[in-house]
Amino acid sequence: MAPNSKKDVTDIEFVGTEESKLEKLVGPQAGPWKQIQIQKSFIHVVYGNLVVFGYFHLAALYGLYLGSTAGPAWSTIIFHCVTFVFALFGLTAGSHLWSYNAVKAKLLLQIILIIASYLTFQYSVLNNVRDHRLHHRYTDTDADPHNATRGIFFSHLGWLLVKKHPEVKRRGKFTDLRDVKANPVLMFPHKPFKQCFGREQVLDRL
């Protein structure tokens, strides 16, 4: 897997003509998380995501309880560690690097990375790339999907539990995703997952 030297995150193409008509955003921008909650036009909880992520965290706590009382089998511990590292590898080496258009991989490696990234149960590669490119282009502004100005909870988990800010929706339409859409391997799981979880679920909150 060799890096693609033709492009990096600094020169990802956007639909410049229309985007140039939008006002310039300068960070840090957006109020603290508590203030944002009051602005109901901006914050709408996606209850499907809340249930899913809530279940995951409660299940993890229950697993820790069982592990501290009954003691898990070594096979369970090994399986958990391998799955955890494999999933993180898929998200970091796969979806994260695809966001920079920096991955050139053979078919088999692409399939392995996609399977690993979907084990994190976040969203499709297409949505991951779109959000990450927006994050770098509009860091700490209203167009940043996980704007750190809104607090540590929002930037790590809260942004997955609410609908996107209007600026994220508006400017996300101009993000150049042609490289991802042109790759049938990356696009193959996108539609089935989106249909399975729905428009406002984990995979796509636009």
Side-chain angles (χ1 to χ4, degrees):
M1 180 174 63
N4 179 6
S5 59
K6 293 183 179 180
K7 287 186 180 181
D8 58 29
V9 74
T10 61
D11 65 358
I12 291 172
E13 295 181 17
F14 287 74
V15 185
T17 304
E18 292 298 323
E19 189 193 23
S20 63
K21 299 177 182 178
L22 301 176
E23 65 276 13
K24 184 178 180 180
L25 298 180
V26 179
Q29 183 184 56
W33 175 243
K34 291 183 179 179
Q35 294 181 17
I36 293 296
Q37 283 183 313
I38 299 174
Q39 303 176 21
K40 294 184 179 180
S41 60
F42 283 5
I43 293 295
H44 296 279
V45 175
V46 180
Y47 291 100
N49 289 15
L50 186 63
V51 170
V52 169
F53 284 105
Y55 167 77
F56 283 165
H57 285 79
L58 290 175
L61 291 175
Y62 182 61
L64 288 175
Y65 166 75
L66 292 179
S68 62
T69 55
W74 277 107
S75 58
T76 302
I77 296 175
I78 294 173
F79 175 79
H80 168 76
C81 292
V82 170
T83 304
F84 178 75
V85 173
F86 182 60
L88 286 183
F89 173 75
L91 187 63
T92 304
S95 297
H96 199 80
L97 291 183
W98 274 312
S99 300
Y100 297 89
N101 199 12
V103 173
K104 288 292 185 181
K106 299 292 185 180
L107 176 61
L108 179 59
L109 181 55
Q110 289 190 59
I111 294 174
I112 292 174
L113 289 174
I114 287 174
I115 293 173
S117 67
Y118 273 94
L119 285 177
T120 63
F121 203 69
Q122 290 195 18
Y123 31 60
S124 69
V125 172
L126 179 70
N127 293 336
N128 199 329
V129 169
R130 179 197 61 209
D131 286 350
H132 202 73
R133 289 179 179 177
L134 276 172
H135 164 65
H136 278 282
R137 189 165 178 82
Y138 299 107
T139 303
D140 294 342
T141 68
D142 286 333
D144 183 350
H146 34 92
N147 185 358
T149 310
R150 297 186 185 176
I152 188 171
F153 176 77
F154 180 87
S155 62
H156 284 82
L157 180 61
W159 71 284
L160 293 169
L161 305 179
V162 298
K163 294 182 181 179
K164 294 181 183 292
H165 190 284
E167 282 297 331
V168 176
K169 295 181 181 181
R170 184 161 66 144
R171 296 172 192 264
K173 297 176 182 178
F174 301 116
T175 307
D176 187 355
L177 298 170
R178 288 175 293 178
D179 55 322
V180 179
K181 292 180 178 180
N183 189 329
V185 179
L186 300 183
M187 292 302 297
F188 177 75
H190 176 72
K191 288 185 178 180
F193 268 71
K194 187 173 180 179
Q195 291 172 353
C196 179
F197 292 100
R199 183 174 176 81
E200 296 296 345
Q201 299 302 312
V202 175
L203 299 182
D204 190 358
R205 298 173 321 286
L206 283 179

